[in-house]
Amino acid sequence: MQDVARAVGVSPMTVSRAFRNDASVSDKTREAVRQAAEAMGYVFDSTASTLRSQRTGFVAVTIPSINNANFAETVRGLSEALKPQGLQILLGTTDYDIQNEEELIEQLLRRRPEAIVVTGGKHTERARRLLENAAIPVIETWDLPDRPLGHVVGFSNAAAVGMTVDHLVAHGATRIAFIGGDADRDTRGTDRRLGFIAAMQRHGLDATRLIAAGAPPISMREGARAMARLLETLPDTQAVICVSDLSAFGSLSECQRRGVAVPGQIAIAGFGDYEIAGTCVPALTTVNPFPHEIGRRAAEVIAAALATPGLPPQRAAITPGLIARDSTG
Amino acid sequence: MQDVARAVGVSPMTVSRAFRNDASVSDKTREAVRQAAEAMGYVFDSTASTLRSQRTGFVAVTIPSINNANFAETVRGLSEALKPQGLQILLGTTDYDIQNEEELIEQLLRRRPEAIVVTGGKHTERARRLLENAAIPVIETWDLPDRPLGHVVGFSNAAAVGMTVDHLVAHGATRIAFIGGDADRDTRGTDRRLGFIAAMQRHGLDATRLIAAGAPPISMREGARAMARLLETLPDTQAVICVSDLSAFGSLSECQRRGVAVPGQIAIAGFGDYEIAGTCVPALTTVNPFPHEIGRRAAEVIAAALATPGLPPQRAAITPGLIARDSTG
DNA sequence: GGGGCTGATGTTATCGTTCCCGTCGACTGA
DNA sequence: TCAGTCGACGGGAACGATAACATCAGCCCC
């Protein structure tokens, strides 16, 4: 910066102001600085700026996996809404493991983000302490935790599956199964399974047709295997709810391979409204949790919290939308 | 750090060393420092460390979209291989636009990454200048550029589609179409279209059956629409190659809706070996570009370049694998 | 004409670490 | 016993920007 200042014939302070689009620099000086910097190949150094100003411009975000269209949409919604605020996303993945999440959160906090967005409401005790001590806005998403750490932008996974159960029951199904992962590592998947059981019991129906299909998150392949097992062990099942559209599509493909009519012999519903659900034949009934909207709303909460330091914890409950399609008649 | 030092009764320098796992600190002192820090809720500040040591621990990565399983796999491969080296990914998306890429690259370079990985080999002139001036290892991926900026870990998109053409021709097809986007924004999609034309001409076949299906990247929906158009305008087409598996699946679903037999009446091939290609019925013939491997290899190049400052530009050409499945007979 | 104001710029100290160099005590071997 | 070596630790300066305050010319208005 000194070199640029020398070249233009001003002080480093003026160069600094020119780069920040600060008010009191004349347009002529600003332009001269920009040109000199461009010619010299100077690129502004955020790391030093960060130290003195105590503003990193980072918002830390943790998601279970980058390879998931739903979480990707949330990140995109966040990113779009944070960019105009001059905030950049620092992304990390937990691989669906709260122990990894703890380590990741510490790594991210070392970078001094101005806010942090985490997926889910379940964390290790140390992770909770780290987040509470960080003295920055914390937003939990994709869940409605009982004991929130700060702000919340999410929905009830259990209620979302409850809507699907209601839909199937309204269409006359009584023998309904649930396909999901076989461990509680994916906490949202677990919530959906519990939501299934609760809704079935609410309808006075048998809630024991549970197919566990391997380590979560289960995908198309595991969905297909689970459907094979379901058709063999519980052939009188009328409908099945899958933990996500990916496993639902896997289930559908298995039915096609076996010549089982969908929805004639068995109805299939998924979760997430992935693009495939609206494209495949028959199109899949699913629930849209509005992942992009979650990201957008989370960014709004961040903006509000940074503008108003003492802002009380916000709680934005999003209502997922049931999308009835051909796969459930 | 001073507070921690006072609490333990040592100098800040010793605390610093303890946190860096530096050699000359006794185990006892190190443990005392860790405990005091944990108790006081102190979290190491990378921003200051970065400034003094001139090491950020960042590797910048640009991808066209976060919502794409192929690029996500590359990021995962990078991330897994960089973590043991103490390097963290700073991710940005270009939305398939080299103007956005230029802006993004500048933003990222301000953070002083130790290396930068970009997707593709086409950039604006200013982006090229920025990358050349940055004096850090640059790795271009997902392409084999003629005029590389530095290191390359990629494959020929044109050759990959050429393999698919050869496969279809070997199965007796002569009237072959290509479905892709209608603009050159997605440079890899464009390369695949050009590769299709070149391969068809090499076989002495008509290379004019090109369906343009909207702004790239085209997805399932656009693939379905494109197939509808193809079936209406060129009904004697025997086989179609889609720019990706997503549009290929959309095409397949359109055939299913119309009762067109795949591969009986028309064969379909895609690109990318997305999970759906192996799951759907019939399973899709596709090409696997080994995206995870690209990420892993790129991380290896980074490690080598950081260890050996004068390292000559590396060029790792990956050979994509054709995966013949039922959709092409 | 002088006090007050405004816009453009400069000076000094500082953000929280780490580099560089130095100190000090303990141990070792002849 | 003592020079030499080594491991553990401390003091001061510096990384590259910016916050806070100071300066100064020009202008306005009574």
Side-chain angles (χ1 to χ4, degrees):
Chain A
M1 202 150 107
Q2 290 222 355
D3 298 342
V4 175
R6 248 194 308 276
V8 182
V10 295
S11 77
M13 193 64 240
T14 302
V15 177
S16 169
R17 281 196 265 252
F19 266 93
R20 278 179 290 156
N21 297 326
D22 200 28
S24 54
V25 184
S26 71
D27 289 347
K28 201 176 54 143
T29 308
R30 189 193 314 283
E31 196 41 44
V33 168
R34 287 218 188 277
Q35 283 184 16
E38 191 68 34
M40 300 169 68
Y42 165 79
V43 175
F44 182 86
D45 189 332
S46 300
T47 64
S49 163
T50 274
L51 181 60
R52 173 70 246 224
S53 68
Q54 301 291 68
R55 296 201 60 238
T56 55
F58 276 138
V59 169
V61 178
T62 77
I63 55 176
S65 163
I66 189 178
N67 192 350
N68 177 299
N70 275 178
F71 299 132
E73 275 302 295
T74 295
V75 172
R76 204 168 62 82
L78 267 167
S79 180
E80 286 171 2
L82 290 175
K83 198 175 174 190
Q85 301 177 50
L87 293 170
Q88 192 175 358
I89 285 180
L90 185 57
L91 187 67
T93 57
T94 66
D95 205 18
Y96 296 89
D97 181 319
I98 61 172
Q99 209 63 47
N100 287 346
E101 189 200 44
E102 174 188 315
E103 200 184 326
L104 175 62
I105 286 172
E106 182 167 16
Q107 289 296 323
L108 293 173
L109 290 179
R110 290 181 169 200
R111 303 282 184 183
R112 296 289 186 268
E114 300 182 33
I116 180 164
V117 178
V118 298
T119 304
K122 199 172 165 229
H123 318 285
T124 67
E125 273 309 313
R126 195 168 100 87
R128 295 186 69 90
R129 268 204 312 280
L130 286 167
L131 291 172
E132 278 161 3
N133 288 340
I136 55 174
V138 176
I139 297 96
E140 291 170 288
T141 60
W142 276 82
D143 198 358
L144 293 176
D146 298 329
R147 194 167 56 118
L149 280 159
H151 310 291
V152 174
V153 179
F155 62 91
S156 164
N157 283 275
V161 171
M163 294 166 64
T164 313
V165 171
D166 293 349
H167 167 77
L168 293 173
V169 170
H171 277 63
T174 54
R175 296 187 296 280
I176 308 174
F178 183 86
I179 288 177
D182 62 6
D184 289 350
R185 203 168 65 130
D186 173 7
T187 59
R188 283 157 299 286
T190 303
D191 287 348
R192 287 175 210 153
R193 190 183 66 230
L194 297 175
F196 168 77
I197 294 171
M200 290 294 281
Q201 289 171 347
R202 175 159 52 75
H203 284 287
L205 296 173
D206 169 35
T208 61
R209 292 174 189 244
L210 304 170
I211 306 288
I218 67 164
S219 186
M220 296 182 187
R221 245 171 286 277
E222 290 86 8
R225 276 204 292 272
M227 177 57 93
R229 199 133 49 83
L230 177 65
L231 292 172
E232 281 156 21
T233 59
L234 299 162
D236 64 339
T237 301
Q238 298 166 313
V240 56
I241 298 175
C242 297
V243 71
S244 85
D245 285 348
L246 304 182
S247 39
F249 178 75
S251 297
L252 171 61
S253 69
E254 185 63 22
C255 289
Q256 292 176 339
R257 269 187 291 274
R258 291 171 176 246
V260 173
V262 176
Q265 285 179 256
I266 191 165
I268 299 177
F271 180 92
D273 196 24
Y274 290 69
E275 189 183 21
I276 194 172
T279 309
C280 63
V281 183
L284 288 169
T285 291
T286 188
V287 175
N288 187 349
F290 303 113
H292 187 272
E293 177 75 2
I294 291 176
R296 204 183 56 72
R297 297 279 289 272
E300 281 178 8
V301 171
I302 290 171
L306 292 180
T308 315
L311 191 76
Q314 307 287 301
R315 188 181 183 91
I318 288 177
T319 307
L322 180 82
I323 302 179
R325 295 207 183 96
D326 296 344
S327 70
T328 55
Chain B
M1 204 150 107
Q2 291 221 356
D3 298 343
V4 176
R6 247 195 307 276
V8 182
V10 295
S11 77
M13 193 63 242
T14 302
V15 176
S16 169
R17 280 195 267 252
F19 267 91
R20 279 178 291 156
N21 297 325
D22 201 27
S24 53
V25 184
S26 71
D27 289 347
K28 201 176 50 134
T29 308
R30 190 193 313 282
E31 197 41 46
V33 168
R34 288 215 188 278
Q35 283 184 15
E38 190 68 33
M40 300 170 68
Y42 166 79
V43 175
F44 182 87
D45 189 332
S46 297
T47 65
S49 162
T50 274
L51 181 61
R52 172 70 245 214
S53 67
Q54 302 291 70
R55 296 200 62 239
T56 56
F58 277 138
V59 170
V61 178
T62 77
I63 55 176
S65 163
I66 189 179
N67 192 349
N68 177 299
N70 275 178
F71 299 133
E73 275 302 294
T74 295
V75 172
R76 205 169 60 82
L78 267 165
S79 179
E80 286 171 3
L82 290 175
K83 198 174 173 190
Q85 301 177 50
L87 293 169
Q88 192 174 1
I89 285 180
L90 185 57
L91 187 68
T93 57
T94 66
D95 204 18
Y96 296 90
D97 180 319
I98 62 171
Q99 209 63 46
N100 287 346
E101 189 199 46
E102 174 189 314
E103 200 184 324
L104 176 63
I105 286 172
E106 183 169 16
Q107 288 296 323
L108 293 173
L109 290 179
R110 290 182 168 200
R111 303 283 184 182
R112 296 290 186 270
E114 300 183 32
I116 180 163
V117 179
V118 298
T119 304
K122 199 172 165 228
H123 318 284
T124 67
E125 272 310 313
R126 195 168 99 87
R128 294 186 71 90
R129 267 205 313 281
L130 285 167
L131 290 172
E132 279 161 1
N133 288 339
I136 55 174
V138 177
I139 297 96
E140 291 170 288
T141 60
W142 276 82
D143 197 358
L144 293 175
D146 299 329
R147 194 167 56 117
L149 280 159
H151 310 291
V152 175
V153 179
F155 61 92
S156 164
N157 283 275
V161 171
M163 294 167 64
T164 314
V165 171
D166 294 349
H167 167 77
L168 293 173
V169 170
H171 276 63
T174 54
R175 295 186 296 280
I176 307 174
F178 182 86
I179 287 176
D182 61 7
D184 288 349
R185 204 168 64 129
D186 174 7
T187 59
R188 283 157 299 286
T190 304
D191 287 347
R192 287 174 212 155
R193 189 182 67 229
L194 297 175
F196 168 78
I197 295 171
M200 290 296 280
Q201 289 173 345
R202 175 160 51 75
H203 284 287
L205 296 173
D206 170 34
T208 62
R209 293 176 189 243
L210 304 170
I211 306 288
I218 67 164
S219 188
M220 295 182 187
R221 244 172 287 277
E222 290 86 8
R225 275 204 293 273
M227 177 56 93
R229 198 132 52 81
L230 178 66
L231 292 172
E232 281 155 19
T233 59
L234 298 162
D236 64 339
T237 301
Q238 297 166 314
V240 56
I241 298 174
C242 297
V243 71
S244 86
D245 286 348
L246 304 182
S247 39
F249 178 75
S251 298
L252 171 61
S253 69
E254 185 63 23
C255 290
Q256 292 175 338
R257 270 187 290 275
R258 291 171 175 246
V260 173
V262 177
Q265 285 178 257
I266 191 166
I268 299 178
F271 179 91
D273 196 24
Y274 290 70
E275 189 184 20
I276 194 172
T279 308
C280 64
V281 182
L284 289 168
T285 292
T286 188
V287 175
N288 187 349
F290 303 113
H292 187 271
E293 177 75 2
I294 291 176
R296 203 184 56 74
R297 297 279 289 272
E300 282 178 9
V301 171
I302 290 171
L306 292 180
T308 315
L311 191 76
Q314 306 288 301
R315 188 181 183 90
I318 288 177
T319 307
L322 180 81
I323 303 179
R325 295 208 183 96
D326 296 344
S327 69
T328 56

